[in-house]
Amino acid sequence: MFATLKFAALLLAVVVCWATQDYDYNDAEIDEEPTLGDSPYGSLWPLPQKVQISTVVFKLSGASFHIFDAKASSSGASCRLLQNAYRRYDEYIFTSSRKQGQNKSKKALASDMSELQVWITSADSECDSYPSVTSDESYKLSVDSPVAVLKAPKVWGALRGLETFSQLVYKDEYGAKSINRTDIHDFPRFAHRGLLLDTSRHFLPIKVILANLEAMAWNKFNVFHWHIVDDPSFPYLSRTFPQLSQHGAYHPYTHVYTPSDVKMIIEFARLRGIRVVPEFDTPGHTQSWGKGQKDLLTPCYSGASPSGSFGPVNPMLNTTYDFMSMFFKEVNTVFPDAYVHLGGDEVDFSCWKSNPDIQKFMEQQGFGMDYSKLESFYIQRLLDIVTTTNKGYMIWQEVFDNGVKLKSDTVVHVWMGNKVEEELQKVTEAGFTTILSAPWYLDYISYGQDWQKFYRAEPLSFKGTDAQKKLVIGGEACLWGEYVDATNLTPRLWPRASAVGERLWSDRDVRDLNDAYSRLAKHRCRMVQRGIPAEPLFTGYCAHEYKGV
Amino acid sequence: LKTISNSRRCYKQWLWFMVLFMSFSVIYVDAVWPMPQMISSSMARYTLNPREFIFQYSSGSSAQPGCSLLDSAFERYYPPRQHDEWFRFPFTVVVHVERAECEGYPDADSSESYKLSVCSGQAALRAETVWGALRGLESFSQLVYQDDFGEYFVNETEIEDFPRFQFRGILLDTSRHYLPLHAILKTLDAMSYNKFNVFHWHIVDDPSFPYQSSTFPDLSSKGAFHPLTHVYTQIDVKRVIAHARLRGIRVLAEFDSPGHTQSWGKGQPGLLTPCYKGTVPSGTFGPVNPANSSSYQFMTRLFKEVTSVFPDSYVHLGGDEVDFTCWKSNPDVRGFMLKMGFGTDYTKLESYYMEKLVDKKGPKWRLVWFWQDVFDYHEKIPVDTVLHIWKGSPGQIQQELSSITLAGYRVILAAPWYINHIDYGQDWEKYYTIQPLNFTGTEQQKTLVIGGEVCMWGEYVDATNLSPRLWPRASAAGERLWSDEKMTSSVIDAFPRLVDFRCRLLRRGIQAEPLFVGHCRHEYQGI
């Protein structure tokens, strides 16, 4: 019955020293042993690139501790993004324990930590911009008494550093907030660290999306890939084509994202250094589009007459491209990110094949019987349309595989589970940037600690030159929506996605499962305490269990 | 009496309704989960108005106002769950109960049958016991539906219903992860919507001992994950039992021994067997020490408390997965084996322990039952024991069922419903298509299978993911255990009903996960 229990006990019993990192016992207190199975890095997740933690401990008093802009910082009180973050992290650090008014007069003790100064070092803090794939997320954090200093070239690094700082704070045995003297220099291994949520197979209420953006920030994710529409429903309320959601959503009012919802999500994400990349997948996966947009989809035939069902977008009609061009013009203005995901996956040719008009069109174009040429024809025209809006695009790997001509800055999204390394090799050989999702389909669940599987995946294990490897700009965890809605999304995502988060942020050599287990167990308790129902890794407990249900 | 004749008349009237509307009536007939034993309905429907909706005891009912159990059930089911609309017509549900056991606890032989008749603008619910009345109220509430304009209706319906199996349980494990009280209470709510009637509380185990014993407070103060925040106080336990009782659910406590007791040892030194490495104690401990008489004295006092705290006439004694290596290593235990003439057969020692444990039962404690391991090893099990099958391949399970019932023991089947094991896709189908009586044996033997149990072991489950992992997957087992197998053999027929039912669960605040792509009119509002 409980064979796994024994296995995990064994796993934990193996105390592993973290040899590869810069763990440093600065202060001659080497005799202090870490408890069994505890990581010397406490609850840090994802692990920073360079960390030195000393055993010298400072106390933080909720009454006197504050997060400030450093005097020399290029960002000040007018930077809403940072001010907002200061308040957020102050709340995370002190949760409910802050004693209001009390202790105010009391002078901080000599060993106390009284403030964290945040210093944006470059002239342009980028406070009012949107994060992008080239945003600088690096930071340096030096925790010492009486002040800790967080230095970052841009606000994006400051956000990451604030999260790290909050993870360094812990409660000592008497319940006092404590932090060790620490030096951290940190930057992400990959620039694109994404999470895909699917709001078409099940509608996800705004609240759920926001909560998960929050959790993404705690895990240093920086891209929300919003797979917003698909076959089952079209919840995106388009201003240009309101009938799309009117007829294509599960419900025209309760199951849609209005323009203001979308705006709110984008701003909420921006304040956490997260890009929102929307996906409008075509020409397949578009059943729901057809309900509100007559003649957009290909009518399928049964013998000589239309069967009443519809296939992919109809690639032979000019009206299709007029529609797409107006639609993507709107998408361009609504979503500020430099990229839009155009999908292009899993196009089923059987309907196209059944349609006599399409057959004729194939002949005219000289495509013979090769329907992937027709697909390419469609996608080529779509890409041209999107290019005129000055957006870059991401596409699923089939588009590349089918030989469609792509702009040089196209990001190819590798998702197919077989021959992943070969695919990465081919895509990068062709000079395209790429992101990887194949090992991280989190909607696939199994019994036990499957986070380890996600954690072990290594994006750069394929054969290729250094230049090729540089083209892998990151990865995405995907949570497809067949079996997921508001009821189970959050515990299914966290802390399993956290495993992906560390793989994409931390150094390639950070892969010790025992150390990771110890840190991740604490990290998940922290998420629970911050209000996210992150599920347990294994038997055990959190000091503050989840209060929801 | 008047209501009965009314309902009979109605029945005849809508027999021809049925003929007329046969093809249309299907959607409404399917509304109740788990499927009642007999149900028929017509297209004739009544509008419900919460302002003029009342529950009433029939004049001849032995339960009358003041029956705490039904009074509080009326409150829960009134007005038909949802409350944001209003209606036109008055509607009365008249409840008649033969034997009012309003202050009692449900028991192994409590009748849960009921008859429900919705006709002539009112509903009549007749049941032998209050427990049956509870099941009937639940069915009634599920007959109520909302049209596209938000109005509530109930169709003319006749139901005659009773459970296929008397024991329909859910096991929660509060040792591997502590489950806050509200998570347990919420589960009890959902259980009653699914007509489950036993909460098997696997309250302690190796990892932690959250039960706060008044006799041995050290057990939880040292053995719980946290002595204050991660324990069930006596008040908590009382609350769980009371909450369960009001929903017609028994609380069956399990104190598993002699294995699975690591956490016991922390607060009760000397209880567990010290393991040896060569000739010296290794510092680790094994199962309860069966060679010490003090072990039995401790157990006697603990179980005396347990049987007084938990009103159910059964206590689950566990007895599974005893690891003999530690006993084998211990010279005192070996000496005891020699003295008792057990040779090197440690199953005899385990037998001895379990028999002594059963001997210690108090007068109130009539029945005990074990995990099936006990049967596999021993012959001297009291006949009134109920055995619990928890492991094996389908073939092995069938064999086990045959041999246990042949020996005359009653049995509960849990093996096919280890719901903590998760898989991608619609695994509810697997739980739905189990056939508990599909084994070789006489009719007499089959009657000894008294039910089944859904087990949610706690390795990977706590308050963050319990509800969506349990519901609606456990609902599949719920129907298997309540309903007629022939009427509910099709997964294809069950799917749309279960989809509707899970949306109903959502509407009632139960975080039930989706079966597949789709939506509910009212999505879950939490995160």
Side-chain angles (χ1 to χ4, degrees), chain A residues 295-508:
Chain A
D295 300 329
L296 179 66
L297 303 185
T298 312
C300 313
Y301 276 66
S302 184
S305 51
S307 70
S309 63
F310 293 89
V313 166
N314 193 333
M316 54 171 282
L317 299 180
N318 282 330
T319 50
T320 295
Y321 301 100
D322 296 342
F323 167 81
M324 289 296 171
S325 125
M326 283 173 76
F327 184 75
F328 277 100
K329 209 169 141 193
E330 171 183 326
V331 168
N332 185 40
T333 60
V334 170
F335 293 92
D337 200 82
Y339 282 84
V340 59
H341 202 301
L342 298 177
D345 59 321
E346 301 184 312
V347 184
D348 178 11
F349 296 146
S350 56
C351 182
W352 278 349
K353 284 180 189 166
S354 77
N355 183 304
D357 298 333
I358 300 275
Q359 287 162 14
K360 224 175 285 162
F361 185 73
M362 291 281 289
E363 244 169 72
Q364 280 168 18
Q365 298 288 326
F367 293 158
M369 289 306 286
D370 187 355
Y371 283 83
S372 70
K373 284 198 176 133
L374 181 60
E375 183 189 353
S376 294
F377 170 84
Y378 167 80
I379 290 189
Q380 201 68 68
R381 288 195 62 175
L382 181 70
L383 295 186
D384 293 344
I385 287 167
V386 174
T387 306
T388 64
T389 65
N390 289 324
K391 275 248 197 288
Y393 41 78
M394 297 171 62
I395 38 92
W396 296 106
Q397 71 180 74
E398 288 103 311
V399 179
F400 167 82
D401 295 345
N402 288 345
V404 176
K405 204 177 91 209
L406 299 167
K407 266 198 313 180
S408 61
D409 62 347
T410 302
V411 179
V412 179
H413 198 162
V414 175
W415 68 275
M416 287 176 161
N418 57 333
K419 300 184 183 167
V420 179
E421 297 193 352
E422 271 178 67
E423 182 74 9
L424 287 172
Q425 215 177 318
K426 268 192 258 169
V427 171
T428 53
E429 209 164 56
F432 291 108
T433 48
T434 181
I435 58 170
L436 182 65
S437 277
W440 295 312
Y441 267 38
L442 302 191
D443 49 321
Y444 288 107
I445 52 169
S446 55
Y447 186 68
Q449 300 201 31
D450 61 356
W451 69 273
Q452 299 182 357
K453 186 174 69 189
F454 305 132
Y455 190 75
R456 278 196 216 102
E458 167 51 47
L460 299 188
S461 57
F462 66 94
K463 276 193 208 118
T465 62
D466 284 351
Q468 270 176 277
K469 305 231 163 161
K470 279 217 178 72
L471 290 170
V472 180
I473 57 166
E476 277 184 8
C478 298
L479 192 64
W480 295 101
E482 279 86 349
Y483 300 103
V484 175
D485 72 359
T487 62
N488 59 355
L489 179 134
T490 310
R492 189 158 293 188
L493 198 48
W494 311 106
R496 292 160 81 233
S498 305
V500 184
E502 176 150 302
R503 182 55 52 241
L504 293 173
W505 177 279
S506 305
D507 189 83
R508 180 176 180 156

Side-chain angles (χ1 to χ4, degrees), chain B residues 104-160:
Chain B
Y105 290 92
D107 211 336
D109 46 14
S110 298
S111 159
E112 291 172 291
S113 63
Y114 66 92
K115 285 182 190 175
L116 176 65
S117 159
V118 180
C119 77
S120 318
Q122 68 166 15
L125 171 61
R126 297 183 62 88
E128 204 182 310
T129 67
V130 285
W131 318 118
L134 288 176
R135 303 295 168 247
L137 286 170
E138 176 57 38
S139 294
F140 175 80
S141 77
Q142 294 187 19
L143 291 175
V144 177
Y145 63 95
Q146 207 175 4
D147 72 2
D148 288 342
F149 304 99
E151 268 196 295
Y152 290 93
F153 297 96
V154 59
N155 281 44
E156 226 171 57
T157 307
E158 293 288 328
I159 293 179
E160 241 187 279

Side-chain angles (χ1 to χ4, degrees), chain A residues 106-382:
Chain A
K106 208 174 121 191
K107 277 258 165 82
L109 294 171
S111 66
D112 272 3
M113 165 86 48
S114 64
E115 60 184 74
L116 169 64
Q117 293 187 359
V118 179
W119 183 354
I120 307 300
T121 54
S122 78
D124 178 11
S125 71
E126 297 185 5
C127 180
D128 296 314
S129 353
Y130 288 95
S132 76
V133 70
T134 54
S135 291
D136 187 341
E137 292 175 290
S138 69
Y139 67 92
K140 283 181 181 165
L141 178 62
S142 145
V143 177
D144 209 337
S145 184
V147 287
V149 181
L150 169 61
K151 274 194 202 178
K154 308 287 180 190
V155 289
W156 317 117
L159 289 173
R160 305 294 168 245
L162 282 166
E163 176 57 36
T164 302
F165 180 83
S166 76
Q167 295 188 359
L168 289 169
V169 179
Y170 59 93
K171 264 191 195 169
D172 72 6
E173 50 193 311
Y174 305 105
K177 297 284 178 183
S178 312
I179 190 168
N180 287 40
R181 186 149 81 199
T182 304
D183 273 301
I184 288 176
H185 179 202
D186 201 11
F187 50 89
R189 181 179 175 207
F190 293 106
H192 185 115
R193 304 179 307 282
L195 181 66
L196 176 148
L197 296 184
D198 169 2
T199 57
S200 172
R201 289 181 177 79
H202 284 99
F203 178 79
L204 299 174
I206 307 290
K207 206 161 118 184
V208 174
I209 295 178
L210 298 183
N212 282 285
L213 285 168
E214 195 82 86
M216 282 172 70
W218 306 338
N219 290 275
K220 297 193 170 69
F221 277 97
N222 66 355
V223 179
F224 168 35
H225 175 165
W226 193 351
H227 189 85
I228 190 165
V229 299
D230 202 304
D231 283 330
S233 78
F234 196 104
Y236 172 73
L237 200 160
S238 160
R239 276 180 219 224
T240 324
F241 302 101
Q243 69 275 18
L244 286 170
S245 62
Q246 189 70 35
H247 299 290
Y250 283 130
H251 188 283
Y253 302 112
T254 59
H255 287 63
V256 295
Y257 303 104
T258 65
S260 70
D261 292 340
V262 173
K263 218 172 177 174
M264 190 206 319
I265 285 168
I266 292 169
E267 178 63 5
F268 192 92
R270 185 187 82 83
L271 291 177
R272 285 152 186 81
I274 297 171
R275 300 161 53 199
V276 177
V277 177
E279 175 179 352
F280 290 93
D281 192 354
T282 63
H285 289 285
T286 46
Q287 288 297 305
S288 68
W289 301 49
K291 294 186 183 157
Q293 189 65 21
K294 291 277 163 293
D295 300 329
L296 179 66
L297 303 185
T298 312
C300 313
Y301 276 66
S302 184
S305 51
S307 70
S309 63
F310 293 89
V313 166
N314 193 333
M316 54 171 282
L317 299 180
N318 282 330
T319 50
T320 295
Y321 301 100
D322 296 342
F323 167 81
M324 289 296 171
S325 125
M326 283 173 76
F327 184 75
F328 277 100
K329 209 169 141 193
E330 171 183 326
V331 168
N332 185 40
T333 60
V334 170
F335 293 92
D337 200 82
Y339 282 84
V340 59
H341 202 301
L342 298 177
D345 59 321
E346 301 184 312
V347 184
D348 178 11
F349 296 146
S350 56
C351 182
W352 278 349
K353 284 180 189 166
S354 77
N355 183 304
D357 298 333
I358 300 275
Q359 287 162 14
K360 224 175 285 162
F361 185 73
M362 291 281 289
E363 244 169 72
Q364 280 168 18
Q365 298 288 326
F367 293 158
M369 289 306 286
D370 187 355
Y371 283 83
S372 70
K373 284 198 176 133
L374 181 60
E375 183 189 353
S376 294
F377 170 84
Y378 167 80
I379 290 189
Q380 201 68 68
R381 288 195 62 175
L382 181 70

Side-chain angles (χ1 to χ4, degrees), chain B residues 138-378:
Chain B
E138 176 57 38
S139 294
F140 175 80
S141 77
Q142 294 187 19
L143 291 175
V144 177
Y145 63 95
Q146 207 175 4
D147 72 2
D148 288 342
F149 304 99
E151 268 196 295
Y152 290 93
F153 297 96
V154 59
N155 281 44
E156 226 171 57
T157 307
E158 293 288 328
I159 293 179
E160 241 187 279
D161 203 10
F162 53 88
R164 179 183 180 202
F165 292 107
Q166 65 171 230
F167 187 109
R168 305 177 307 281
I170 288 202
L171 176 150
L172 293 185
D173 168 2
T174 56
S175 173
R176 290 180 177 78
H177 284 99
Y178 175 81
L179 296 173
L181 204 61
H182 63 93
I184 296 178
L185 300 182
K186 200 82 170 171
T187 303
L188 289 169
D189 291 349
M191 281 173 69
S192 72
Y193 306 150
N194 287 273
K195 297 194 171 73
F196 279 99
N197 67 351
V198 180
F199 167 38
H200 177 169
W201 195 349
H202 188 85
I203 190 165
V204 300
D205 202 304
D206 283 331
S208 78
F209 197 105
Y211 172 74
Q212 198 177 67
S213 159
S214 47
T215 321
F216 302 103
D218 277 356
L219 287 171
S220 65
S221 69
K222 303 210 169 114
F225 285 133
H226 188 284
L228 299 174
T229 58
H230 287 62
V231 296
Y232 303 105
T233 64
Q234 289 297 323
I235 292 170
D236 293 340
V237 172
K238 282 212 169 71
R239 223 177 124 192
V240 168
I241 293 168
H243 197 90
R245 185 188 83 86
L246 289 177
R247 285 154 185 81
I249 297 170
R250 299 161 54 193
V251 178
L252 176 64
E254 177 180 352
F255 287 82
D256 191 356
S257 74
H260 288 286
T261 47
Q262 288 297 303
S263 68
W264 303 42
K266 294 185 185 157
Q268 189 63 21
L271 178 66
L272 303 185
T273 311
C275 312
Y276 276 64
K277 208 178 176 170
T279 56
V280 287
S282 68
T284 62
F285 293 89
V288 168
N289 194 334
N292 282 354
S293 60
S294 62
S295 296
Y296 303 101
Q297 284 154 18
F298 165 82
M299 288 295 176
T300 306
R301 292 181 64 196
L302 180 69
F303 278 106
K304 201 174 157 201
E305 173 183 328
V306 167
T307 49
S308 73
V309 169
F310 293 91
D312 203 85
S313 51
Y314 285 72
V315 169
H316 201 301
L317 294 180
D320 61 319
E321 297 186 314
V322 184
D323 180 11
F324 297 145
T325 50
C326 182
W327 279 350
K328 285 180 188 165
S329 78
N330 183 301
D332 297 336
V333 173
R334 288 202 303 265
F336 185 74
M337 292 278 289
L338 213 60
K339 198 179 106 192
M340 300 301 292
F342 293 159
T344 53
D345 185 357
Y346 282 83
T347 64
K348 286 196 175 138
L349 182 58
E350 188 194 348
S351 253
Y352 171 82
Y353 170 84
M354 293 309 287
E355 278 157 29
K356 290 267 285 188
L357 197 60
V358 177
D359 275 351
K360 300 287 173 187
K361 68 192 179 189
K364 179 188 170 197
W365 186 18
R366 295 182 289 111
L367 301 160
V368 292
W369 50 298
F370 310 104
W371 295 100
Q372 98 214 53
D373 298 38
V374 176
F375 179 79
D376 296 346
Y377 292 126
H378 324 293

Side-chain angles (χ1 to χ4, degrees), chain B residues 67-107:
Chain B
C67 174
S68 64
L69 193 121
L70 285 182
D71 285 350
S72 68
F74 291 167
E75 220 169 277
R76 285 201 305 281
Y77 284 106
Y78 172 91
R81 303 303 304 180
Q82 303 88 350
H83 36 70
D84 46 348
E85 301 294 334
W86 58 18
F87 315 83
R88 290 189 296 269
F89 303 107
F91 194 91
T92 308
V93 179
V94 181
V95 179
H96 179 95
V97 175
E98 298 286 333
R99 279 185 291 122
E101 308 156 67
C102 295
E103 306 306 320
Y105 290 92
D107 211 336

Side-chain angles (χ1 to χ4, degrees), chain A residues 1-2 201-202 207 255 443 447 482-483 485 487-488 524 534-542 545 548, chain B residues 176-177 182 230 260 320-321 424 459-460 462 464-465 469 502 511-513 515-518 520 523 525:
Chain A
M1 171 166 53
F2 305 121
R201 289 181 177 79
H202 284 99
K207 206 161 118 184
H255 287 63
D443 49 321
Y447 186 68
E482 279 86 349
Y483 300 103
D485 72 359
T487 62
N488 59 355
R524 99 96 188 171
E535 67 178 21
L537 294 173
F538 193 59
T539 302
Y541 74 106
C542 296
E545 300 288 358
Chain B
R176 290 180 177 78
H177 284 99
H182 63 93
H230 287 62
H260 288 286
D320 61 319
E321 297 186 314
Y424 183 72
E459 281 87 347
Y460 302 102
D462 71 1
T464 62
N465 58 356
R469 197 159 286 195
R502 98 100 187 173
Q511 205 178 330
E513 67 178 21
L515 293 175
F516 194 57
V517 175
C520 293
E523 299 287 357
Q525 286 309 313

